[in-house]
Amino acid sequence: MNTANAATELMVKYAAYHRDRRNIATHFVGVPMLVFAVGALLARPSIDIAGWPLTPAAVLWGLSPLWYLTRGDLVLGLATSLANLVLILAALPLGQLQTTAWIGWSVGVFVIGWAIQFVGHYYEGRKPAFVDDLRGLLVGPMFVVGEALFSCGWGKALLQEINRRVGPTHLRDLHTPATR
């Protein structure tokens, strides 16, 4: 995939699985919960390096901007990296809890986040994007950040390209089978 337009291609492909506005709304809750939960689950072990905790979550976050920033859209890559950082930093204190509380909260948030995602895909009438392409697990946060930026007026050309290729968002009639 050409990195000059990789973000566009990834967003279009992901958007094809997310045209129902109810599904998109559930992703605004579920995707951040999943990023938070992964950050919490990876908050241990922690090694102190010059007063900074180094955790698997920090390593994962440190690598993820490399992917986001090489997709060809600097603003979207930076915004997604920052959003993920905020969620992971918010999750790190869970790693300080007793083991059962840490696991309970982390897994609980993870399960609830996925449940919300699957409710959204019921409205969509289509399976989640990651089932066909595991990159969807990385694109999900980028899509949610992109949708938030679209609502602020950013990325009009990208939004127009998404709508041109996969159609505008809508509310699917739940009494009619999905067409995809």
Side-chain angles (χ1 to χ4, degrees), residues 16-38:
Y17 290 79
H18 302 88
R19 301 322 295 148
D20 188 284
R21 289 190 288 276
R22 295 165 293 196
N23 188 22
I24 295 170
T26 65
H27 280 57
F28 270 90
V29 177
V31 168
M33 287 180 76
L34 292 171
V35 173
F36 177 90
V38 168

Side-chain angles (χ1 to χ4, degrees), residues 72-150:
D73 191 313
L74 182 62
V75 172
L76 186 56
L78 284 172
T80 304
S81 297
L82 179 61
N84 287 344
L85 177 61
V86 168
L87 291 164
I88 288 171
L89 287 175
L92 287 179
L94 290 181
Q96 303 301 312
L97 299 174
Q98 291 182 341
T99 300
T100 54
W102 163 60
I103 293 292
W105 276 103
S106 301
V107 170
V109 171
F110 189 81
V111 168
I112 292 168
W114 274 116
I116 291 168
Q117 297 293 93
F118 285 113
V119 167
H121 282 281
Y122 165 77
Y123 290 119
E124 188 73 41
R126 190 160 188 200
K127 64 189 171 192
F130 80 89
V131 173
D132 291 330
D133 185 351
L134 284 176
R135 287 179 300 176
L137 296 171
L138 284 167
V139 180
M142 189 168 73
F143 179 80
V144 169
V145 168
E147 287 289 327
L149 292 172
F150 296 155

